[in-house]
Amino acid sequence: MFRASLLGLVLLAGGVGAQKSPQPLDTETGLIKDEAGVWQTARDHCTECHSATLLQQNRTDRDGWIRTIRRMEKDEGLEPLGDLEKRILDYLAVHYGAQVKPTELRRRRAPLRQPPVADGA
């Protein structure tokens, strides 16, 4: 009993200490600052045409960000990002990725598809 309680306290203390502090935000744009400084690259390229608020509002997964970049290249004259594209996509996917509500994780199973049963089988 004592061991179980001690283990619980150790795990609880580790959990409390492991809490992440909030990400620092750029005071000018509100973008999340990452340690590698990619936020500055994203800021420089993205806010050239639109507000950083669009990044914060339009959360999507990596594929969604790729589609957005391709649409901007095709329709809005965005110059290809070249070698910077992967770094910017990583930043966007991590810090402005899709937010899934817990209720959206519960999905119904796919309908069962069974082959028809032959007569006499």
Side-chain angles (χ1 to χ4, degrees):
M1 178 73 173
F2 177 72
R3 280 187 166 178
S5 298
L6 183 59
L7 178 61
L9 286 174
V10 169
L11 292 174
L12 181 62
V16 170
Q19 289 180 346
K20 294 177 75 174
S21 60
Q23 294 273 341
L25 300 177
D26 177 42
T27 55
E28 183 179 328
T29 62
L31 288 175
I32 297 171
K33 292 182 175 180
D34 62 332
E35 292 179 12
V38 180
W39 72 273
Q40 294 168 317
T41 305
R43 177 199 61 200
D44 293 346
H45 284 78
C46 299
T47 62
E48 191 172 306
C49 297
H50 58 73
S51 165
T53 305
L54 284 178
L55 300 177
Q56 299 155 12
Q57 292 174 339
N58 297 319
R59 290 179 172 262
T60 184
D61 61 10
R62 186 180 182 86
D63 289 341
W65 285 117
I66 290 172
R67 285 191 300 272
T68 300
I69 288 172
R70 296 293 176 260
R71 180 188 54 76
M72 290 189 297
E73 288 174 344
K74 180 181 171 217
D75 299 338
E76 300 176 30
L78 174 68
E79 294 290 326
L81 298 170
D83 295 339
L84 297 175
E85 183 175 275
K86 182 185 180 316
R87 296 179 68 202
I88 291 173
L89 280 171
D90 290 344
Y91 171 79
L92 293 173
V94 168
H95 298 289
Y96 298 102
Q99 293 179 327
V100 178
K101 297 176 185 173
T103 55
E104 294 173 347
L105 295 175
R106 289 182 275 144
R107 295 186 175 161
R108 297 187 66 153
R109 66 171 169 72
L112 296 176
R113 295 189 179 150
Q114 299 177 349
V117 178
D119 289 337

